[in-house]
Amino acid sequence: MANKINAGVAMIKVFESWGIDHIYGIPGGSFNSTMDALYKERESVKYIQVRHEEVGALAAAADAKLTGKVGAVFGSAGPGATHLINGLYDAQMDHVPVIALLGQVASTAMNYNSFQELNENPMFADVSVYNRTVMTPESLPHVVDEAIKAAYKYNGVAVVTIPVDYGYAEIDDLEISTAKNHKKGVIQPDEADLKAVLPLIEAAKKPVLYVGQGVRGGADAVQAFSEHFSMPVAAAVLAKGIIPDSYHNFLGFAARVATKPANEALADADFILFVGSDFPFAAYFFNPAAKFVQIDIDASKFGRRHKTDLTVLGDGATALRKLVEFGKARPADAWLAANQKNIVNWRAWLQSRADVTEGDLTPEPVYKQVKRIAEDNAVFVTDVGNSTIQSIRNLDLNGQQLHTTSGWFATMGNGVPGGIAAQLSFPDRQVFTFSGDGGFAMVMQDIITQAKYKLPIINIVFSNNSFGFIEAEQEDSGQKEFGVFLEGADFGKAGEALGAKGFTITEISQLPAAFDAAKNSDGPVVIDVKIKNDRPLPVEDLHLDPDKFPADEIAAFKERYGVHDLPTLNELLK
């Protein structure tokens, strides 16, 4: 006769077998049976109490982005569940595995219009790759096991709704988890498909390699390909950190959260090799006439972003290695040299802004201090808005350091939760978060969470009293800026009130001491930097090319953004 086990405990043991060691959430009556199980199994799966379920869901997504392992979160019936939706969409749209447990009223109270009863399945249908309500106590651990497998298989969100009475029930103690059978592999690209790409590379005069997070772990393959074919490299924002930012052929990033060298090269390229990415703005920033080859493990993405000339189904890094093996070397040329010079000029311009020692505060001197104290394996989490633009431009990641943000969904308030996830997933590594005052104010209550668990996270807030990213969009559309200006607050003092060490910076000279203190802190730090509300250089709409813009317009643009000594790629090619 089988031994008996509490169904909720059996479910948590499934979590443990899959290597899930923490879960975020806020208790509620409909989730009490699972809370009881988490208490009983607290040595194996740690419960992390957040102060808003959205923070928990965003943190679970960040866990998955940074580690590749499934993130875990829960919400109680009704409002606890609905608060999760933003973070779950973040996971869905950035293609990472997350499991969300939803509380539900007791099975005997369902369909009686009970307090906080919500038909949760339809609400979560769009965001999930797996969405089930547990129907018996005996099936609870099985359904959770299936959910985790689905999250991994589809790199998406799995949702399990649990009637509260089921978690208390006693069931047979059987081996349920299939974690030991879980295997990972890569799709091998077809040799004939790869060899068909080579004539297009040989014919190209202005080629660019564009990579996304699908090449994670393949930095060596990217650089070997770039060197062999003398091809500059650009990347999606979610791929930041895969390639060292200092790599001499690395152009940076495309679109608006971007760098000047990448946008210029992609607009002028006659051949683009698009590997492991689903970049949604390719139609706007890639030369539409360029020959376009797409490599991906998901054939449904072929042709989604740009008309394709050839496609290769398979692992991106493997494909790049095979192309080097099959193809003859492409000699360095004027195109590569011009792009390399463009990178050097761009980095010098950024450095000139970072080296300013007096005058109005801007983000660049802040990142100079970050670089000064950052450890070689630090983790960086960026919120959404102008802080994203500044981080991808000014953080010089070395290939060991990690970076993440809310990419495709671009949800504000991602920074603080991501920092919590980073520090819990990598307790021995230094963690930084970067937020604007708009995004930080959405989630700053969870500085309490950082303090509760003694997480030494360095939270940097850029306060410009504006939703600056949207303010720029309103400017570009020719409308009056409206609804974007924010009432200011002292977030350094607020951080102190929430349990962190707080600093409020109003002058450049105050930065070194604050960052020295932050480096040596044994708990969370909030550094509120009162920056001037200047728009970042709009590399998506540069008015620098004399072949496209009148001289007076170019002069006004250079004066506004301080780019007098920043030539265009076309000028470097002449």
Side-chain angles (χ1 to χ4, degrees):
M1 186 174 182
N3 293 326
K4 296 294 183 178
I5 188 172
N6 180 270
V9 170
M11 176 190 70
I12 299 302
K13 287 186 176 294
V14 170
F15 267 45
E16 181 182 2
S17 71
W18 282 95
I20 299 172
D21 59 9
H22 62 273
I23 183 170
Y24 307 95
I26 298 176
S30 61
F31 209 75
N32 276 344
S33 61
T34 303
M35 292 305 300
D36 182 61
L38 283 168
Y39 172 75
K40 291 173 178 173
E41 295 297 308
R42 60 191 180 278
E43 297 301 321
S44 58
V45 179
K46 188 174 183 179
Y47 161 56
I48 304 298
Q49 180 196 72
V50 290
R51 305 307 285 263
H52 196 296
E53 289 92 348
E54 180 183 357
V55 166
L58 287 167
D63 274 324
K65 293 176 191 179
L66 289 166
T67 68
K69 294 168 52 180
V70 65
V73 66
F74 70 80
S76 58
T82 59
H83 280 166
L84 298 175
I85 201 73
N86 213 41
L88 299 187
Y89 268 107
D90 178 70
Q92 182 219 52
M93 297 188 77
D94 283 345
H95 309 295
V96 292
V98 165
I99 182 168
L101 304 181
L102 309 183
Q104 183 55 282
V105 300
S107 60
T108 53
M110 290 175 66
N111 300 322
Y112 280 91
N113 295 315
S114 300
F115 175 69
Q116 289 192 326
E117 182 184 4
L118 176 71
N119 185 5
E120 292 165 337
N121 289 91
M123 179 179 178
F124 290 88
D126 181 67
V127 76
S128 61
V129 296
Y130 183 93
N131 182 22
R132 298 287 190 275
T133 296
V134 177
M135 301 305 291
T136 66
E138 290 76 14
S139 68
L140 175 54
H142 167 77
V143 172
V144 167
D145 187 62
E146 290 290 303
I148 295 170
K149 285 192 291 188
Y152 275 125
K153 178 178 179 180
Y154 298 107
N155 285 316
V157 175
V159 177
V160 178
T161 301
I162 307 169
V164 65
D165 53 323
Y166 288 171
Y168 290 122
E170 294 292 309
I171 64 174
D172 288 344
D173 187 4
L174 304 173
E175 184 177 358
I176 300 296
S177 173
T178 59
K180 65 183 181 181
N181 302 320
H182 183 62
K183 290 181 171 60
K184 296 180 180 179
V186 298
I187 299 174
Q188 293 295 320
D190 184 83
E191 185 173 314
D193 288 345
L194 291 171
K195 289 183 176 179
V197 176
L198 298 174
L200 295 181
I201 295 176
E202 291 176 11
K205 302 298 182 185
K206 298 178 177 181
V208 175
L209 170 62
Y210 185 91
V211 298
Q213 62 176 336
V215 299
R216 191 170 301 282
D220 61 326
V222 173
Q223 293 181 63
F225 180 93
S226 174
E227 297 297 326
H228 187 76
F229 291 109
S230 299
M231 197 178 298
V233 184
V237 167
L238 284 174
K240 184 172 177 67
I242 295 175
I243 307 152
D245 284 300
S246 61
Y247 175 52
H248 61 274
N249 286 348
F250 185 54
L251 304 171
F253 310 87
R256 184 176 170 193
V257 181
T259 55
K260 172 182 174 286
N263 273 352
E264 289 183 313
L266 288 160
D268 203 26
D270 64 2
F271 172 84
I272 299 172
L273 184 60
F274 190 70
V275 184
S277 178
D278 193 23
F279 178 61
F281 302 108
Y284 305 100
F285 293 96
F286 291 9
N287 181 4
K291 295 290 184 182
F292 195 85
V293 175
Q294 187 169 1
I295 302 175
D296 207 285
I297 59 171
D298 183 356
S300 70
K301 294 176 183 174
F302 290 152
R304 180 185 289 176
R305 305 304 181 188
H306 192 288
K307 180 182 178 297
T308 55
D309 293 277
L310 288 173
T311 59
V312 179
L313 182 66
D315 177 67
T318 302
L320 293 176
R321 293 186 184 99
K322 290 290 186 182
L323 286 168
V324 170
E325 178 185 335
F326 297 151
K328 65 180 181 181
R330 182 178 176 276
D333 55 11
W335 168 252
L336 181 64
N339 277 284
Q340 290 173 333
K341 182 64 175 174
N342 207 17
I343 298 166
V344 170
N345 291 342
W346 170 252
R347 290 175 181 157
W349 179 74
L350 290 173
Q351 189 62 49
S352 71
R353 294 175 63 83
D355 289 339
V356 171
T357 57
E358 58 185 21
D360 293 325
L361 264 169
T362 62
E364 290 87 355
V366 179
Y367 287 95
K368 182 177 181 178
Q369 295 301 318
V370 171
K371 294 176 203 176
R372 180 176 67 83
I373 71 166
E375 296 171 359
D376 287 344
N377 65 347
V379 184
F380 304 95
V381 181
T382 305
D383 211 314
V384 166
N386 283 349
S387 58
T388 329
I389 296 176
Q390 299 293 358
S391 289
I392 71 101
R393 292 179 183 177
N394 292 288
L395 284 175
D396 288 330
L397 272 62
N398 61 14
Q400 301 176 55
Q401 296 160 327
L402 297 175
H403 176 267
T404 193
T405 185
S406 176
W408 199 3
F409 200 47
T411 184
M412 291 176 64
N414 163 75
V416 168
I420 294 169
Q423 197 71 82
L424 290 171
S425 292
F426 302 101
D428 298 325
R429 296 172 73 164
Q430 189 184 40
V431 174
F432 294 82
T433 77
F434 304 91
S435 305
D437 45 356
F440 184 76
M442 290 181 174
V443 293
M444 69 180 188
Q445 77 284 332
D446 272 272
I447 294 296
I448 300 173
T449 304
Q450 296 185 5
K452 175 182 175 70
Y453 295 104
K454 297 180 173 57
L455 305 177
I457 300 163
I458 302 171
N459 302 278
I460 299 161
V461 185
F462 295 106
S463 293
N464 63 340
N465 295 340
S466 172
F467 291 122
F469 198 87
I470 307 305
E471 182 185 347
E473 289 181 342
Q474 291 184 354
E475 177 189 356
D476 288 344
S477 64
Q479 70 187 79
K480 178 68 176 177
E481 289 89 353
F482 182 70
V484 294
F485 299 112
L486 300 172
E487 188 68 24
D490 189 329
F491 293 111
K493 288 184 178 179
E496 287 184 351
L498 296 171
K501 293 180 180 177
F503 301 87
T504 301
I505 307 299
T506 57
E507 298 178 5
I508 297 174
S509 61
Q510 297 170 332
L511 287 169
F515 277 87
D516 285 341
K519 182 178 182 180
N520 297 313
S521 177
D522 57 0
V525 176
V526 175
I527 303 176
D528 181 14
V529 187
K530 302 301 186 183
I531 62 169
K532 186 180 180 184
N533 186 27
D534 281 343
R535 180 177 180 174
L537 175 66
V539 297
E540 73 279 9
D541 188 26
L542 292 168
H543 289 222
L544 295 174
D545 191 339
D547 294 334
K548 299 178 181 178
F549 302 100
D552 60 340
E553 193 170 327
I554 292 174
F557 185 90
K558 288 183 174 181
E559 182 64 29
R560 176 176 178 181
Y561 295 107
V563 288
H564 299 283
D565 300 319
L566 201 58
T568 66
L569 176 61
N570 283 336
E571 289 173 319
L572 294 170
L573 281 167
K574 291 178 180 177

